[in-house]
Each structure stands twice: as structure tokens, then as C-alpha cells.
Amino acid sequence: MAKLELENLRKQFGPKIVPVKDISLDVEDGEFLTFVGPSGCGKSTTLRMIAGLDQPSHGKVLIGGHNVNPIPPGKRNIAMVFQSYALYPHMTVAENIAASLKLRKTPKDEIKRRVNEVSHKLGLEHLLDRKPGKLSGGQRQRVALARALVREPDVFLLDEPLSNLDALLREQVRAELKQLFESQNKPVVYVTHDQTEAMTLSTKIAVLYDGVLQQLDPPHRIYSRPANQFVAGFMGSPQMNLLTLNCQGNCAVLGDFKINLPELSTVPSQIVLGIRPEDVRLDTSDDFQTIQGQVYLQEDLGKEKLISVRVDGSDQAVRALLPADQHWEGEAITLAISAKATHWFDVNSGDRLGNH
Ligand SMILES: Nc1ncnc2c1ncn2[C@@H]1O[C@H](COP(=O)(O)OP(=O)(O)OP(=O)(O)O)[C@@H](O)[C@H]1O
Ligand SMILES: [Mg+2]
């Protein structure tokens, strides 16, 4: 058991820079937790505190129930993979993979066995005698992973390990990573600002913004029930439409568009309606609310077209994913949304409203 726990973790650099404000969460054996958020939101700083490379200003890191704050990084039995790979250029691939085991005076036979096993798993057998300078980006990335796996650590930490790879290779390695870590049965903490990586790899996603944990949930829940407007806008591509509507009685209004409000204890004067572009349809059957507008932009995504529609009587736009085989630009259009696909947020705090 090597459960990882963060208790009220905070990091402060100087009086005004507080990149991590108060983070508490658990990662069990076999769980894959991803920190996702925009640049500068505190992802790497959090990871560095777990690794022991930075000391928390407040709060604790626990591994297997023990407070590891006083334990230096080298003694934490954590393996970390960085974006830069940080391979030793003068060592061969085999030596790079074996370095941490040698440092711990692991017997030679054992080192050989473990290096062979990991190289086989990652398809590196034919590269063991090469130096990192003679490897492709994807191969270096695999060596960095092999170096982490060979240590059989209590916890894996990975900071944007795929960001130096091209899009195709990224997709391929992403699938491999998922399988690789599923078989490790250890806590994995992964950092990325790529929401697709977060959605596909994780068992739990922690969305960070400005050092504050916005939501901690399995990927599907983050997508289907974002806790606030920030998460709603950050997770999902194309981005969720977020429209500001005026409240009138039990309706919300935007120009000529009108929709019933969810059940609320008090009705505010304005409210934010969230609707994903894939939930905006052409189907105008009974239980759908219609939106009329003018298409002013269409972007061909291959499978579908992403169209931008100025809502009649307003200066706000809604984007919709529609069939690619039609031309939409410049047309007047009637779109439809189902109340089931709506998300509602407080116009000031951004918090989710209603209980659907
Ligand atoms: N040693 C330091 N001294 C002062 N400020 C720092 C230090 N390390 C990080 N910061 C600041 O803390 C904030 C968070 O940095 P961090 O590296 O954790 O962001 P990140 O979420 O990993 O971003 P990215 O996606 O760009 O890697 C940034 O504003 C950064 O400038
Ligand atoms: Mg970072």
C-alpha cells in the first residue's frame, strides 16, 4: 500500500506569489490522477512538492500514511518523468535505465534482469547500446519512462511527458502509457495542460486554476457536470458555449431566444447558460428550445463543421457542430437545444446552479 495523500498543501514564493493555495486529495494504488489547468496554475509546483524538490510552505505530503515532508527527494522512492526527459547524454540507453539501481547498489544480475524486462516492455531492446543523442524524440521519451519503471517506485510522477512529441506519436504513446500504468498498480500523478490526455488517461482529474483545486472527479463527471464556469470552459473541445442571459420570471432570455430556468431558490437578474457545441442540433422536435440566428463563420473539421451563429436580437454567438456536407456560412439558421444538455452558472461566482 502506497497511497499518496496531499493535506492542505500550499506553496508561497515571496509575499505575493502563491502558486499552490490549499490542495487536499488522495491517490490510491492503481489510480491515475491528472492535474490539468492553464500555464502557471501550479501543476509543476504541486508535483515538485510531492517529489520533495520543493518544500511546502504549509501542509503535508503523505505516502503510505507517513508524512514525507522531512524526507529528501532521493529517499522518497518516487520516480519522476520530466518533459525534458533529463537523460544522461554520456551514458548508453542501458546505463541510463540502470543508473538509479546502480546508485542503490542493486546486485548486477538483478539490474540486468530488470533492465531487460523494462526494455522489452517499451520496445527498447535494439537501442540499449546507443547514446541518447542518437535517438528520436519518441525513443528518448521511452527511455525516460523505462528509467522510471525500472525503479519499481511507490509513486510515479509525470510532468508533461508527451509535450515534445508530434501529434501522431503523442496519440500512440498516450495509449501505451495507459496500458503500462494500468499494470503497475501504484499511484500515478500526471501533469498536462492537454485536456485530451487528461480525459483519456485518468481515473481522476484535478482541475487547477490559479493554485486552487476547481474540481476533483472522474473524467466523465468533469465533462458532464462541470463544477463551475472555469471547468466548463476549460474541458471539452470545441469549447462549451457560455452565454450570458437576462432572467425574466422563470425564463432566461437572450435577444429572441428564450429558455426555461432551472429550479433556483432565488432568481438572479442574469445567469450563464452553458451548452456544448455537440449538443446544439438541427432537430427541432417538441422538447427542444429553438435558437434563431445568422451563420457568420464555418470551420471545416473534416467529420463535421463547426459553425458560429450570431443569435438574433443579441450580440452573442453560439457555436454548433453540424454535418460537414452542407454549406452554412451566410445562412439564417434555426438551431435547437435540449434542456437536458444545459449547464447553468452563477454570473458572478461562476459556480454551477440548479441540481440537474
Ligand atoms: N521558484 C520560484 N520562484 C518564484 N515563482 C515561482 C517559482 N516556481 C514557480 N513559480 C511561479 O509559480 C507559478 C506556477 O508555476 P508552475 O510551474 O507550477 O506552473 P504550471 O502549472 O506547471 O505551468 P506550465 O503549464 O506552464 O508548466 C508561476 O506563476 C511561476 O512563475
Ligand atoms: Mg509545469
Side-chain angles (χ1 to χ4, degrees):
M1 265 292 291
K3 179 179 172 180
L4 169 72
E5 295 164 86
L6 310 185
E7 267 184 26
N8 306 107
L9 214 56
R10 178 184 173 91
K11 183 70 190 177
Q12 185 153 2
F13 296 107
K16 288 215 176 114
I17 308 172
V18 192
V20 178
K21 303 226 162 77
D22 180 17
I23 294 184
S24 298
L25 52 82
D26 297 352
V27 194
E28 305 274 354
D29 279 336
E31 276 193 319
F32 195 118
L33 174 98
T34 300
F35 280 110
V36 66
S39 189
C41 71
K43 305 181 294 291
S44 297
T45 308
T46 306
L47 217 61
R48 290 174 59 81
M49 286 193 278
I50 301 172
L53 300 168
D54 275 339
Q55 267 301 313
S57 309
H58 179 82
K60 281 187 221 160
V61 176
L62 297 109
I63 297 175
H66 300 290
N67 177 5
V68 297
N69 281 14
I71 302 177
K75 300 232 161 92
R76 287 194 185 187
N77 203 23
I78 283 178
M80 188 152 172
V81 180
F82 298 92
Q83 176 181 351
S84 63
Y85 313 144
L87 302 178
Y88 301 113
H90 58 285
M91 292 185 187
T92 64
V93 167
E95 287 163 348
N96 261 285
I97 300 174
S100 66
L101 299 180
K102 262 194 191 150
L103 212 66
R104 289 189 201 178
K105 313 228 177 329
T106 311
K108 270 199 178 140
D109 289 356
E110 166 94 9
I111 294 185
K112 198 160 178 210
R113 187 186 62 75
R114 276 160 71 173
V115 170
N116 284 342
E117 192 183 304
V118 168
S119 328
H120 176 70
K121 215 178 248 171
L122 287 159
L124 289 168
E125 295 111 316
H126 61 298
L127 301 171
L128 286 173
D129 296 329
R130 276 210 216 159
K131 301 256 171 76
K134 294 195 171 144
L135 299 176
S136 72
Q139 289 166 338
R140 276 181 219 162
Q141 202 276 337
R142 281 196 173 80
V143 178
L145 276 174
R147 224 169 39 165
L149 290 171
V150 83
R151 293 184 46 184
E152 299 176 357
D154 291 334
V155 176
F156 287 99
L157 304 178
L158 299 101
D159 194 349
E160 312 234 12
L162 307 187
S163 53
N164 287 339
L165 306 181
D166 66 54
L168 209 61
L169 197 55
R170 241 177 127 126
E171 206 174 299
Q172 185 190 333
V173 180
R174 198 173 72 208
E176 288 171 9
L177 269 184
K178 192 170 168 70
Q179 290 177 326
L180 206 60
F181 284 107
E182 266 169 9
S183 63
Q184 297 297 311
N185 202 32
K186 288 282 154 57
V188 182
V189 183
Y190 191 91
V191 162
T192 182
H193 51 247
D194 181 321
Q195 46 152 314
T196 314
E197 273 173 35
M199 287 295 292
T200 50
L201 287 169
S202 323
T203 54
K204 279 200 294 207
I205 297 178
V207 185
L208 271 189
Y209 179 59
D210 196 20
V212 178
L213 189 56
Q214 305 289 316
Q215 186 168 1
L216 176 68
D217 265 320
H220 183 69
R221 194 163 169 85
I222 297 262
Y223 185 79
S224 62
R225 216 174 181 285
N228 59 37
Q229 199 178 321
F230 174 79
V231 177
F234 191 76
M235 299 297 285
S237 175
Q239 198 183 27
M240 185 189 282
N241 293 292
L242 293 161
L243 305 164
T244 305
L245 277 63
N246 292 319
C247 300
Q248 292 176 3
N250 60 352
C251 287
V253 178
L254 174 67
D256 299 345
F257 167 60
K258 209 172 191 184
I259 185 169
N260 285 337
L261 281 170
E263 268 185 43
L264 300 169
S265 48
T266 51
V267 175
S269 59
Q270 286 194 313
I271 195 164
V272 174
L273 165 66
I275 180 103
R276 296 205 181 273
E278 58 268 38
D279 291 327
V280 183
R281 313 261 171 89
L282 289 170
D283 168 8
T284 51
S285 53
D286 287 354
D287 56 335
F288 282 73
Q289 310 270 345
T290 57
I291 307 180
Q292 256 124 38
Q294 288 286 327
V295 183
Y296 65 90
L297 181 68
Q298 66 173 21
E299 294 161 82
D300 200 334
L301 305 180
K303 190 164 143 253
E304 287 149 321
K305 273 187 181 145
L306 179 63
I307 63 158
S308 301
V309 178
R310 181 91 51 223
V311 178
D312 283 353
S314 90
D315 58 359
Q316 295 185 57
V318 62
R319 298 200 302 164
L321 279 173
L322 297 184
D325 57 358
Q326 289 188 51
H327 182 84
W328 307 99
E329 204 158 292
E331 305 283 319
I333 197 170
T334 302
L335 298 169
I337 59 174
S338 158
K340 284 187 208 125
T342 56
H343 306 261
W344 297 94
F345 303 102
D346 186 285
V347 77
N348 297 311
S349 68
D351 289 346
R352 189 180 186 88
L353 295 173
N355 41 22
H356 70 295

